[in-house]
Amino acid sequence: MKDFWKSRLSADPTDWLLEPDNPGVCYLTLTEILDRPLDDPKVIEAQAAIWQVGAVPEILQNQNPSGSW
């Protein structure tokens, strides 16, 4: 019954959720939807990418060198 939600959709969105342009979504898809363990290489890769791609690095670039905002 775990994948019951997939039967309600016209297509499986998993590939879209795993796209590398949004590593936070990819990480959550791997861990919360696909139940991959935290030591899975893909999970580790997505977690590291969160700091490199997308909203997180964009927000952090506005931080002052002292660490303040």
Side-chain angles (χ1 to χ4, degrees):
M1 200 61 137
K2 179 179 166 72
D3 291 333
F4 174 75
W5 60 272
K6 286 185 181 181
S7 68
R8 300 289 186 194
L9 304 174
S10 59
D12 184 350
T14 307
D15 289 340
W16 175 66
L17 294 170
L18 293 173
E19 289 181 357
D21 62 328
N22 194 335
V25 170
C26 181
Y27 174 82
L28 289 173
T29 301
L30 289 167
T31 59
E32 300 298 320
I33 295 175
L34 300 178
D35 289 325
R36 297 268 185 99
L38 296 178
D39 62 351
D40 181 285
K42 290 286 188 187
V43 172
I44 294 168
E45 180 181 326
Q47 187 177 34
I50 290 170
W51 298 98
Q52 304 298 321
V53 178
V56 172
E58 188 175 318
I59 291 167
L60 291 177
Q61 75 181 1
N62 294 313
Q63 189 175 25
N64 295 322
S66 67
S68 66
W69 296 98

